[in-house]
Amino acid sequence: MKVREVLDSLEGRRLAYTTVMTILDNLHRKEWVQRAMGGLAYRYVPAFSREEAAARALRQVLQASGDPDGALLYFAESATDRESELLRAALGKKQRRS
């Protein structure tokens, strides 16, 4: 999307064009979005899926916690049965690939 398209899609929010442009530029610099020239303006696309973005954010939270191992263990202990099931399945796949 171009900056104008992003701005127009933000219903109910009154942001300046330059604010949206700056945010997209920052996201590009942090490699959260990719951009390519499309005519006279950049077109921005997500660098990864919503799930991948959530996983990256979770990794950042763990690293910023001061005790990533402890935070991860606490999360695992507080996981629902469904979350525990998903984690076990994912870990089983990872071990088979190793």
Side-chain angles (χ1 to χ4, degrees):
M1 296 174 80
K2 293 181 180 178
V3 173
R4 175 61 57 194
E5 294 167 332
V6 173
L7 182 63
D8 292 344
S9 73
L10 298 173
E11 297 174 11
R13 302 205 180 179
R14 300 184 65 120
L15 297 173
Y17 179 92
T18 54
T19 300
V20 175
M21 184 173 62
T22 299
I23 291 169
L24 286 169
D25 187 56
N26 288 339
L27 289 172
H28 176 258
R29 190 172 30 79
K30 293 178 180 184
E31 299 180 352
W32 283 73
V33 297
Q34 297 172 343
R35 71 180 179 197
M37 192 58 83
L40 298 176
Y42 284 117
R43 288 196 164 274
Y44 293 86
V45 295
F48 30 79
S49 71
R50 186 177 296 232
E51 294 80 10
E52 290 169 313
R56 284 177 66 145
L58 180 55
R59 169 118 0 246
Q60 289 174 347
V61 167
L62 286 172
Q63 290 171 345
S65 73
D67 182 9
D69 292 350
L72 187 58
L73 289 172
Y74 184 82
F75 173 79
E77 290 170 359
S78 68
T80 65
D81 289 343
R82 174 73 179 137
E83 291 165 343
S84 294
E85 205 175 287
L86 289 168
L87 288 170
R88 276 200 254 351
L91 290 171
K93 287 180 188 177
K94 185 175 181 174
Q95 287 176 344
R96 285 190 294 274
R97 281 187 271 149
S98 299

